[in-house]
Amino acid sequence: MSRGRCIAVVGAGLMGHGIAQVFACAGHRVSVHDPDPAALGSVRERIRANLELLGLDPRPAETVRLCEELEPALEDAELVVEAASEELPLKQALFARLDRLTGPETILASNTSVLAIGELARDVGDPGRVVGTHWWNPPYLVPLVEVVQAEATRPATVERTMALLAEVGKSPVHVRRDIPGFVGNRLQHALWREAFALVGAGVCDAETLDTVVKDGFGLRLAALGPMENADLVGLDLTLAIHEYLLPSLDRRPGPAPILREKVAAGALGMKTGEGFRTWTPRAAADTRERLVRHLALAAGERARERPGQA
Ligand code: NAD
């Protein structure tokens, strides 16, 4: 693996510090910029804590360079990963600055969850070097990164980005069109739409819904994707099921009424103690920890199955 590339991460929040961690652990020179001194100041501590929780060497945390200003963070950067707050005007202004402050060979990548890459790149002189890199939280435990090609993105930009991500042990996939939600979030929210509709209609309660996924087909999902699964059961059977079932699935174009009601009532989930489920601070912390433990075990399993990848 070639080491010592310069990588800049712009935005040091939940995603930014974890993305910085991935590149730092692979031995690259990582610079992080965030205008918020508290966010910037917490980066090394957060990375150290993540690594210690996983029983890994925390020293890469110390190698991350923290930059109060944007310009020094971009010095010699081969790849800039923007992970700033999800606001279109903010990101557009940031990309215009990144464009002015970096050379033509630097790849400018955005970690936006939903915004169109083409729109972010509106004020970039050469939008051919702008690409989406949609990481998943926590970025150091979830292997997938969706590499999103906007209309103007050069194929070479996609190839170089995929190669850089593969080099640091991620599982990059090429999304050929810049559409809302890319691939992963479209699939995830198609499931959530039906889940909210079922609970809203009183077919089952929220706990039961979660049990159906976690104790049922959710167990299979990490080993068998839907396309493989359809082939496994047979496309003739899949067609028959879809003929019968699809007309009864929820297809409202907007958010479910039960979701709007919860939000209007201030039941926002873990942060308010009440959402679809009820959360004590302890229960919320336990659930978060359970998730990290589960993902860490899965990462260990993958590492055993695919030696050579981080
Ligand atoms: P966050 O709020 O934790 O962090 C955003 C950071 O951006 C903050 O520290 C803020 O100070 C900083 N920021 C604001 N303006 C900036 C600027 N001009 N330059 C540099 N930094 C600036 O948010 P997050 O959850 O880390 O999300 C960051 C991006 O990643 C968003 O686009 C989000 O949609 C996307 N994303 C989030 C998740 C997730 O699960 N949270 C998953 C995938 C993608």
Side-chain angles (χ1 to χ4, degrees):
M1 185 199 289
S2 99
R3 293 195 175 248
R5 298 178 187 279
C6 289
I7 308 290
V9 178
V10 176
L14 181 71
M15 296 301 290
H17 88 274
I19 293 169
Q21 176 180 328
V22 170
F23 287 107
C25 286
H28 294 316
R29 284 172 284 160
V30 180
S31 300
V32 178
H33 162 70
D34 196 300
D36 176 355
L40 190 64
S42 70
V43 167
R44 288 190 189 134
E45 180 50 43
R46 292 177 87 173
I47 295 178
R48 207 179 303 127
N50 294 341
L51 292 171
E52 280 171 355
L53 191 71
L54 298 172
L56 298 173
D57 180 1
R59 280 177 297 181
E62 311 313 320
T63 67
V64 173
R65 196 161 69 104
L66 306 177
C67 302
E68 286 171 21
E69 300 299 326
L70 178 62
E71 195 165 353
L74 305 175
E75 223 172 280
D76 297 328
E78 199 167 321
L79 169 71
V80 180
V81 183
E82 172 275 315
S85 316
E86 186 79 332
E87 294 165 38
L88 181 61
L90 183 152
K91 288 194 195 264
Q92 281 172 330
L94 197 47
F95 271 85
R97 287 184 71 201
L98 294 175
D99 184 38
R100 287 195 300 276
L101 295 172
T102 56
E105 291 302 314
T106 306
I107 297 171
L108 304 179
S110 176
N111 187 47
T112 179
S113 305
V114 292
L115 302 171
I117 305 303
E119 280 189 48
L120 301 182
R122 190 192 61 182
D123 302 322
V124 173
D126 173 17
R129 64 187 178 116
V130 180
V131 69
T133 51
H134 181 234
W135 299 61
W136 292 71
N137 183 44
Y140 51 92
L141 286 177
V142 181
L144 182 73
V145 182
E146 292 174 283
V147 177
V148 183
Q149 181 171 15
E151 216 177 312
T153 309
R154 263 190 298 284
T157 304
V158 173
E159 282 159 29
R160 279 179 61 207
T161 307
M162 303 250 315
L164 283 169
L165 291 166
E167 228 182 63
V168 296
K170 303 313 290 181
S171 171
V173 295
H174 181 191
V175 178
R176 296 196 200 103
R177 279 183 33 214
D178 186 13
I179 54 169
F182 313 130
V183 175
N185 268 323
R186 289 177 86 91
L187 292 171
Q188 180 165 245
H189 289 279
L191 175 65
W192 290 20
R193 173 166 67 181
E194 185 61 25
F196 297 171
L198 288 168
V199 171
V203 174
C204 63
D205 61 22
E207 188 177 349
T208 303
L209 190 297
D210 284 340
T211 303
V212 167
V213 177
K214 290 190 298 182
D215 287 0
F217 68 89
L219 283 173
R220 284 202 311 240
L221 278 176
L224 195 69
M227 312 305 281
E228 291 171 313
N229 201 348
D231 277 350
L232 186 143
V233 298
L235 299 190
D236 46 349
L237 176 60
T238 304
L239 175 62
I241 292 170
H242 279 203
E243 295 275 19
Y244 185 79
L245 183 63
L246 294 196
S248 76
L249 294 187
D250 187 65
R251 70 177 77 95
R252 266 176 294 227
I258 188 173
L259 179 61
R260 290 194 190 283
E261 285 157 25
K262 294 274 183 196
V263 172
L268 305 182
M270 289 186 185
K271 61 186 161 192
T272 60
E274 191 75 38
F276 285 116
R277 313 275 301 261
T278 300
W279 299 100
T280 61
R282 184 61 207 248
D286 285 351
T287 299
R288 288 198 175 95
E289 267 180 49
R290 185 162 47 83
L291 174 64
V292 170
R293 260 201 321 275
H294 170 79
L295 292 173
L297 276 173
E301 190 64 28
R302 284 174 70 92
R304 269 188 298 282
E305 278 176 10
R306 305 174 195 193
Q309 284 188 19

